[in-house]
mmCIF file of all heavy atoms in Angstrom:
data_model
loop_
_atom_site.group_PDB
_atom_site.id
_atom_site.type_symbol
_atom_site.label_atom_id
_atom_site.label_comp_id
_atom_site.label_asym_id
_atom_site.label_seq_id
_atom_site.Cartn_x
_atom_site.Cartn_y
_atom_site.Cartn_z
ATOM 1 N N GLU A 38 -19.617 76.483 -18.235
ATOM 2 C CA GLU A 38 -18.518 76.757 -17.296
ATOM 3 C C GLU A 38 -18.837 76.231 -15.905
ATOM 4 O O GLU A 38 -17.987 75.668 -15.221
ATOM 5 C CB GLU A 38 -18.273 78.262 -17.259
ATOM 6 C CG GLU A 38 -17.703 78.818 -18.566
ATOM 7 C CD GLU A 38 -17.556 80.336 -18.513
ATOM 8 O OE1 GLU A 38 -17.940 80.902 -17.449
ATOM 9 O OE2 GLU A 38 -17.062 80.909 -19.483
ATOM 10 N N ASN A 39 -20.070 76.438 -15.492
ATOM 11 C CA ASN A 39 -20.466 75.942 -14.170
ATOM 12 C C ASN A 39 -20.379 74.406 -14.090
ATOM 13 O O ASN A 39 -19.953 73.839 -13.077
ATOM 14 C CB ASN A 39 -21.896 76.372 -13.846
ATOM 15 C CG ASN A 39 -22.002 77.895 -13.692
ATOM 16 O OD1 ASN A 39 -21.008 78.533 -13.330
ATOM 17 N ND2 ASN A 39 -23.185 78.430 -13.952
ATOM 18 N N ARG A 40 -20.807 73.747 -15.166
ATOM 19 C CA ARG A 40 -20.743 72.271 -15.194
ATOM 20 C C ARG A 40 -19.306 71.788 -15.113
ATOM 21 O O ARG A 40 -18.988 70.838 -14.412
ATOM 22 C CB ARG A 40 -21.419 71.759 -16.459
ATOM 23 C CG ARG A 40 -21.681 70.259 -16.438
ATOM 24 C CD ARG A 40 -22.309 69.777 -17.730
ATOM 25 N NE ARG A 40 -23.601 70.450 -17.962
ATOM 26 C CZ ARG A 40 -23.815 71.316 -18.946
ATOM 27 N NH1 ARG A 40 -22.823 71.641 -19.771
ATOM 28 N NH2 ARG A 40 -25.007 71.860 -19.096
ATOM 29 N N ALA A 41 -18.410 72.425 -15.804
ATOM 30 C CA ALA A 41 -16.994 72.051 -15.772
ATOM 31 C C ALA A 41 -16.402 72.253 -14.385
ATOM 32 O O ALA A 41 -15.611 71.440 -13.884
ATOM 33 C CB ALA A 41 -16.232 72.859 -16.814
ATOM 34 N N ALA A 42 -16.814 73.357 -13.733
ATOM 35 C CA ALA A 42 -16.302 73.617 -12.377
ATOM 36 C C ALA A 42 -16.788 72.567 -11.392
ATOM 37 O O ALA A 42 -16.020 72.088 -10.535
ATOM 38 C CB ALA A 42 -16.741 75.009 -11.933
ATOM 39 N N LYS A 43 -18.068 72.193 -11.530
ATOM 40 C CA LYS A 43 -18.598 71.154 -10.647
ATOM 41 C C LYS A 43 -17.888 69.813 -10.873
ATOM 42 O O LYS A 43 -17.594 69.078 -9.930
ATOM 43 C CB LYS A 43 -20.088 70.992 -10.867
ATOM 44 C CG LYS A 43 -20.913 72.129 -10.312
ATOM 45 C CD LYS A 43 -22.391 71.891 -10.583
ATOM 46 C CE LYS A 43 -23.227 73.052 -10.036
ATOM 47 N NZ LYS A 43 -24.680 72.856 -10.302
ATOM 48 N N ASP A 44 -17.621 69.490 -12.117
ATOM 49 C CA ASP A 44 -16.920 68.227 -12.415
ATOM 50 C C ASP A 44 -15.522 68.201 -11.812
ATOM 51 O O ASP A 44 -15.054 67.186 -11.302
ATOM 52 C CB ASP A 44 -16.841 68.034 -13.927
ATOM 53 C CG ASP A 44 -18.205 67.750 -14.543
ATOM 54 O OD1 ASP A 44 -19.114 67.353 -13.766
ATOM 55 O OD2 ASP A 44 -18.352 67.903 -15.765
ATOM 56 N N GLU A 45 -14.861 69.348 -11.814
ATOM 57 C CA GLU A 45 -13.518 69.404 -11.218
ATOM 58 C C GLU A 45 -13.581 69.215 -9.713
ATOM 59 O O GLU A 45 -12.714 68.597 -9.105
ATOM 60 C CB GLU A 45 -12.868 70.739 -11.564
ATOM 61 C CG GLU A 45 -12.467 70.860 -13.041
ATOM 62 C CD GLU A 45 -11.854 72.210 -13.352
ATOM 63 O OE1 GLU A 45 -11.774 73.044 -12.412
ATOM 64 O OE2 GLU A 45 -11.470 72.432 -14.506
ATOM 65 N N LEU A 46 -14.637 69.786 -9.077
ATOM 66 C CA LEU A 46 -14.766 69.627 -7.615
ATOM 67 C C LEU A 46 -15.113 68.185 -7.226
ATOM 68 O O LEU A 46 -14.619 67.680 -6.216
ATOM 69 C CB LEU A 46 -15.859 70.583 -7.088
ATOM 70 C CG LEU A 46 -15.519 72.065 -7.130
ATOM 71 C CD1 LEU A 46 -16.749 72.885 -6.778
ATOM 72 C CD2 LEU A 46 -14.374 72.379 -6.170
ATOM 73 N N LEU A 47 -15.966 67.557 -8.009
ATOM 74 C CA LEU A 47 -16.397 66.188 -7.676
ATOM 75 C C LEU A 47 -15.406 65.113 -8.114
ATOM 76 O O LEU A 47 -15.553 63.957 -7.741
ATOM 77 C CB LEU A 47 -17.769 65.904 -8.318
ATOM 78 C CG LEU A 47 -18.926 66.762 -7.816
ATOM 79 C CD1 LEU A 47 -20.170 66.502 -8.655
ATOM 80 C CD2 LEU A 47 -19.208 66.456 -6.352
ATOM 81 N N GLN A 48 -14.431 65.462 -8.895
ATOM 82 C CA GLN A 48 -13.466 64.458 -9.383
ATOM 83 C C GLN A 48 -12.554 63.994 -8.250
ATOM 84 O O GLN A 48 -12.030 64.819 -7.497
ATOM 85 C CB GLN A 48 -12.644 65.055 -10.518
ATOM 86 C CG GLN A 48 -11.752 64.025 -11.206
ATOM 87 C CD GLN A 48 -11.013 64.643 -12.391
ATOM 88 O OE1 GLN A 48 -11.115 65.849 -12.623
ATOM 89 N NE2 GLN A 48 -10.300 63.817 -13.113
ATOM 90 N N LYS A 49 -12.420 62.693 -8.131
ATOM 91 C CA LYS A 49 -11.575 62.097 -7.087
ATOM 92 C C LYS A 49 -10.127 62.046 -7.544
ATOM 93 O O LYS A 49 -9.854 62.033 -8.755
ATOM 94 C CB LYS A 49 -12.080 60.705 -6.750
ATOM 95 C CG LYS A 49 -13.505 60.735 -6.172
ATOM 96 C CD LYS A 49 -14.013 59.345 -5.922
ATOM 97 C CE LYS A 49 -15.456 59.391 -5.385
ATOM 98 N NZ LYS A 49 -15.990 58.041 -5.148
ATOM 99 N N PRO A 50 -9.196 61.887 -6.561
ATOM 100 C CA PRO A 50 -7.776 61.934 -6.956
ATOM 101 C C PRO A 50 -7.374 60.758 -7.865
ATOM 102 O O PRO A 50 -6.561 60.935 -8.778
ATOM 103 C CB PRO A 50 -7.022 61.876 -5.621
ATOM 104 C CG PRO A 50 -8.014 62.242 -4.584
ATOM 105 C CD PRO A 50 -9.361 61.895 -5.106
ATOM 106 N N PHE A 51 -7.928 59.575 -7.570
ATOM 107 C CA PHE A 51 -7.534 58.402 -8.339
ATOM 108 C C PHE A 51 -8.373 58.217 -9.614
ATOM 109 O O PHE A 51 -8.116 57.317 -10.385
ATOM 110 C CB PHE A 51 -7.676 57.126 -7.472
ATOM 111 C CG PHE A 51 -9.062 56.911 -6.937
ATOM 112 C CD1 PHE A 51 -10.019 56.278 -7.695
ATOM 113 C CD2 PHE A 51 -9.387 57.375 -5.668
ATOM 114 C CE1 PHE A 51 -11.281 56.085 -7.191
ATOM 115 C CE2 PHE A 51 -10.665 57.196 -5.176
ATOM 116 C CZ PHE A 51 -11.613 56.543 -5.934
ATOM 117 N N GLN A 52 -9.393 59.076 -9.798
ATOM 118 C CA GLN A 52 -10.275 58.935 -10.956
ATOM 119 C C GLN A 52 -9.629 59.577 -12.179
ATOM 120 O O GLN A 52 -9.054 60.660 -12.101
ATOM 121 C CB GLN A 52 -11.621 59.590 -10.654
ATOM 122 C CG GLN A 52 -12.663 59.359 -11.719
ATOM 123 C CD GLN A 52 -14.000 59.970 -11.336
ATOM 124 O OE1 GLN A 52 -14.110 60.565 -10.245
ATOM 125 N NE2 GLN A 52 -14.977 59.832 -12.201
ATOM 126 N N LYS A 53 -9.729 58.834 -13.292
ATOM 127 C CA LYS A 53 -9.171 59.356 -14.528
ATOM 128 C C LYS A 53 -10.124 60.354 -15.147
ATOM 129 O O LYS A 53 -11.327 60.336 -14.900
ATOM 130 C CB LYS A 53 -8.917 58.205 -15.504
ATOM 131 C CG LYS A 53 -7.859 57.236 -15.028
ATOM 132 C CD LYS A 53 -7.638 56.147 -16.061
ATOM 133 C CE LYS A 53 -6.567 55.182 -15.583
ATOM 134 N NZ LYS A 53 -6.334 54.099 -16.563
ATOM 135 N N GLY A 54 -9.555 61.169 -15.966
ATOM 136 C CA GLY A 54 -10.379 62.162 -16.637
ATOM 137 C C GLY A 54 -11.308 61.537 -17.660
ATOM 138 O O GLY A 54 -11.138 60.390 -18.080
ATOM 139 N N LYS A 55 -12.288 62.360 -18.072
ATOM 140 C CA LYS A 55 -13.252 61.849 -19.037
ATOM 141 C C LYS A 55 -12.627 61.642 -20.399
ATOM 142 O O LYS A 55 -12.876 60.666 -21.077
ATOM 143 C CB LYS A 55 -14.434 62.809 -19.143
ATOM 144 C CG LYS A 55 -15.351 62.808 -17.936
ATOM 145 C CD LYS A 55 -16.537 63.699 -18.185
ATOM 146 C CE LYS A 55 -17.486 63.658 -17.000
ATOM 147 N NZ LYS A 55 -18.666 64.534 -17.230
#
Side-chain angles (χ1 to χ4, degrees):
E38 292 176 359
N39 294 333
R40 193 182 300 112
K43 287 180 181 179
D44 291 341
E45 289 179 359
L46 290 172
L47 296 173
Q48 188 176 5
K49 297 177 182 179
F51 58 85
Q52 187 177 0
K53 295 181 180 180
K55 288 185 178 180

